[in-house]
Amino acid sequence: MIISAPSGAGKTTLCRELLKRFPHMRESISYTTRQPRPGEMHGEDYFFVSHDEFQRMIAEDAFAEWAEVHGNLYGTALSTLENSRKNGIDLVLDIDCQGARQLKEQFGGGSYVFILPPSMAELRRRLESRSSDAPEVIERRIVRAAEEIREVRWYDYIIINDQLEHAFEELSAIVIAHSRRTPRMLEQVAKLFDI
Ligand code: ADP
Ligand code: 5GP
């Protein structure tokens, strides 16, 4: 499941709940050149690497997708996707629109979900109430949000995160529906009914 959202729309909150409800799902851990924030752990939140290391990985075609976001580089390693497929793990990818588009164009599979705030005013209120960003950072995020929202058209699903419980139910419904798609059910059906 690929999830994108403007900063402040509630993606982190919703993803956290999703991973609690569906223990077979795991968060994909991206590579980034951004500095760790206090409390962030290498290998848990991100693989924090130098610019040179990231460029080396690009040159070696090690990324399934990568993009520059807020002046830093972020990417999903191909090996992360391959290992999860091998081990039958469903991944949640919290990535920006540029990366999501690359994955959709190259690989196609998966559910592409865009999470929206109920309004720009509420987005601003949430960014301010989170009080983790300086006012100029919040302004930049609002401007970028307006640009990102134009990308919703090519996503498979759109969730408006107004009431958190409703948004969470809708996101869960997408996970369940995706897991019941015929190609994913055939192996189990073949075992049950010898077809
Ligand atoms: P993101 O990861 O998209 O940047 P967060 O999950 O950090 O967003 O949410 C931004 C802020 O908004 C947090 O303080 C969070 O508690 C709050 N929030 C998230 N969803 C809702 C909601 N449905 N209603 C009210 N506040 C919300
Ligand atoms: P943050 O620095 O706040 O953790 O993330 C900033 C932005 O980078 C978020 O929009 C997040 O979705 C995006 N992001 C995180 N990891 C990746 C990744 O691997 N690829 C892409 N394209 N974007 C990512």
Side-chain angles (χ1 to χ4, degrees), residues 4 24 34-35 42 45 47 49 54 77 83 85 97 110 112-113 123 140 153 179 190:
S4 304
H24 70 286
R34 153 164 98 57
Q35 290 299 309
H42 180 81
D45 299 282
F47 295 108
V49 294
F54 200 99
N83 289 340
R85 184 161 301 182
C97 303
Y112 291 74
V113 182
L123 183 69
R140 251 186 285 139
R153 282 184 183 78
S179 75

Side-chain angles (χ1 to χ4, degrees), residues 92-110:
V92 182
L93 280 74
D94 162 353
I95 63 176
D96 89 317
C97 303
Q98 307 168 73
R101 189 189 274 269
Q102 290 172 46
L103 286 186
K104 193 162 198 188
E105 282 169 359
Q106 283 179 58
F107 303 100

Side-chain angles (χ1 to χ4, degrees), residues 5-14 122 125-126 129-130 161-164:
S7 178
K11 186 174 47 173
T12 308
T13 310
L14 284 164
E122 173 62 10
R125 197 197 63 74
R126 287 186 194 167
S129 72
R130 192 165 62 177
N161 178 20
D162 189 353
Q163 297 296 319
L164 190 61

Side-chain angles (χ1 to χ4, degrees), residues 12-98:
T12 308
T13 310
L14 284 164
C15 285
R16 205 179 296 138
E17 290 305 309
L18 200 68
L19 294 171
K20 270 195 236 158
R21 174 152 176 191
F22 298 102
H24 70 286
M25 299 186 88
R26 296 273 185 291
E27 212 166 357
S28 164
I29 301 171
S30 299
Y31 285 75
T32 185
T33 60
R34 153 164 98 57
Q35 290 299 309
R37 295 183 184 128
E40 283 186 333
M41 302 282 288
H42 180 81
E44 244 174 58
D45 299 282
Y46 283 103
F47 295 108
F48 296 98
V49 294
S50 66
H51 209 270
D52 284 353
E53 174 70 3
F54 200 99
Q55 292 295 347
R56 188 187 60 72
M57 290 180 72
I58 295 175
E60 289 174 354
D61 282 332
F63 288 118
E65 63 76 29
W66 67 272
E68 185 174 333
V69 187
H70 306 306
N72 294 302
L73 301 176
Y74 294 84
T76 306
L78 264 175
S79 59
T80 304
L81 303 187
E82 284 162 3
N83 289 340
S84 73
R85 184 161 301 182
K86 239 186 279 161
N87 297 317
I89 290 167
D90 280 341
L91 281 184
V92 182
L93 280 74
D94 162 353
I95 63 176
D96 89 317
C97 303
Q98 307 168 73

